[in-house]
Structure formats: structure tokens, C-alpha cells
Amino acid sequence: MADFPAVQNTGNLTKFIAEIGSIGIPDKLTTAKLAEYGYTSSHDRAIVGALKFIDFIGDGGAPTPLWREARTAAKAAVAKGMLSGYTALFQTYPNANERDNETLTNFFKSKTDVGDSTVKKIVGTFRALADFADFTKSEAVSVAHAETATQSASFRHQAPSASGMTVNLNIELALPADETGKVYDAFFKSMKKHLMSPLDD
């Protein structure tokens, strides 16, 4: 099961990220270092785990290149980090940052063994980061959204008619992302029925 960040004081999480441009690049970000920056509450300790999850710091606490990007473009850097950290979520919902809390709750419940109170914090953490992030200014994220916001299917089929002529069919579909797959099954079943059979004169 995935270990998603569950920050109780999400306001301090985004506040700290916004301050990265002014605090420099520490050798390591630890809870003690957080306290030096003024984040002394026990609830603030979860900030370290959250930043690790979105690839702002490595396993040993050392800032990553994404931390450096955040010094000048924090919102875009968070968008990149979220796409990396929450890969499974964005694969399921390409527009996860726009999804409602019920959808997010159901997803995180299916991926964790924690109780409802922790799931609520997980959802709140994701929502706070998503609201802070700017997905439009991150090329990597924008491309990912463009590629996955609609699932396309295209193929070429040669359909012989009764007269011996061959009709070339080039079909392209733009389908909404659908986690159940029922939409795709219905489309392809219909195409097989209406397009794959020999054409009449």
C-alpha cells in the first residue's frame, strides 16, 4: 500500500514551499531545520515527508533539483512534483487536481489501509498542494494532461464490399478518460458490429 503524505496543517506546508525562494538551499531539511525556519509545531514535522513525496528532497533530506526550481517557480515545481509523487492517481484521473473530494477519498481509501481521519488528511494534503500548484506553467505536466485528458484510439481497416472493391476506413476517436473501461468496450463493440462486417453494394 502507498504511503501518501497526511499533513494536518496544510497552510504551513504551502507557506513553507512559497518561502523556498527566500530561505536558500540547506544541506538537509530535517525537523530541526524546520524549527529554525519557524515551523516549530509538532504538526509541522509532516512537511518533511510531504516534500520528500513530491521529490523536493531526497531520502537523506538533501534538496533535489526540483527544490532549486521552486526557488524561482514554486507553483510549477509543485505541479511537477505532484505528477511524480502521485503518479498512480494521475494515471487514474489525468485531471486529478480538479477532482472532487469524494473521488479523491475513494481513490486513497483503495490504496491505503489507514482510517478515515488519516484519509481525510491525505485528501487535504493533496488538495492544498493542487490548489497551490500551477499546472499550466509546467511543460511536463501540461503535456501529460494533453495526452491523457482524452484517450484516443485510431486504426485503419480495409473493408471489402460485395462488388470486390476495397474501402479504406481511417477512424480516430477522442474518448473521455474512463476508469471503468465500459465506455471503451461499448465503442469498440459498436465499431465491430457496424464497421467490421462486409459492406453491401
Side-chain angles (χ1 to χ4, degrees):
M1 290 290 183
D3 187 15
F4 298 102
V7 179
Q8 181 164 322
N9 191 345
T10 56
N12 273 2
L13 170 62
T14 53
K15 180 175 179 284
F16 179 81
I17 294 174
E19 292 175 350
I20 283 178
S22 61
I23 63 177
I25 305 177
D27 292 333
K28 291 183 179 181
L29 182 68
T30 61
T31 54
K33 194 67 175 178
L34 273 178
E36 290 181 20
Y37 292 138
Y39 296 84
T40 57
S41 169
S42 59
H43 297 309
D44 293 333
R45 296 171 187 169
I47 291 175
V48 175
L51 293 180
K52 179 180 176 182
F53 190 82
I54 63 171
D55 198 31
F56 272 48
I57 57 176
D59 291 338
T64 65
L66 203 54
W67 177 294
R68 187 174 293 276
E69 288 186 36
R71 298 191 70 198
T72 56
K75 292 179 181 293
V78 170
K80 285 185 181 180
M82 290 184 70
L83 191 67
S84 174
Y86 294 95
T87 301
L89 175 58
F90 279 98
Q91 286 177 342
T92 304
Y93 303 109
N95 64 336
N97 56 299
E98 301 171 356
R99 289 282 182 158
D100 58 38
N101 285 354
E102 181 179 0
T103 300
L104 296 173
T105 297
N106 290 336
F107 174 85
F108 290 124
K109 273 191 172 183
S110 72
K111 301 295 183 182
T112 65
D113 294 327
V114 299
D116 287 350
S117 61
T118 302
V119 171
K120 185 176 180 180
K121 292 177 187 176
I122 291 173
V123 171
T125 301
F126 176 84
R127 178 64 65 202
L129 289 170
D131 289 345
F132 177 87
D134 186 349
F135 288 86
T136 65
K137 292 186 179 180
S138 171
E139 182 178 353
V141 175
S142 298
V143 169
H145 271 263
E147 289 178 348
T148 56
T150 60
Q151 304 295 323
S152 355
S154 64
F155 60 88
R156 181 173 181 149
H157 176 63
Q158 290 186 331
S161 68
S163 63
M165 295 178 59
T166 297
V167 178
N168 291 314
L169 302 175
N170 292 292
I171 301 171
E172 290 190 7
L173 298 175
L175 307 178
D178 179 71
E179 64 277 13
T180 65
K182 292 181 180 179
V183 171
Y184 305 102
D185 291 342
F187 264 106
F188 288 112
K189 182 177 181 180
S190 179
M191 284 190 292
K192 181 178 180 181
K193 176 180 178 182
H194 296 291
L195 301 177
M196 299 297 185
S197 57
L199 301 176
D200 296 328
D201 287 334

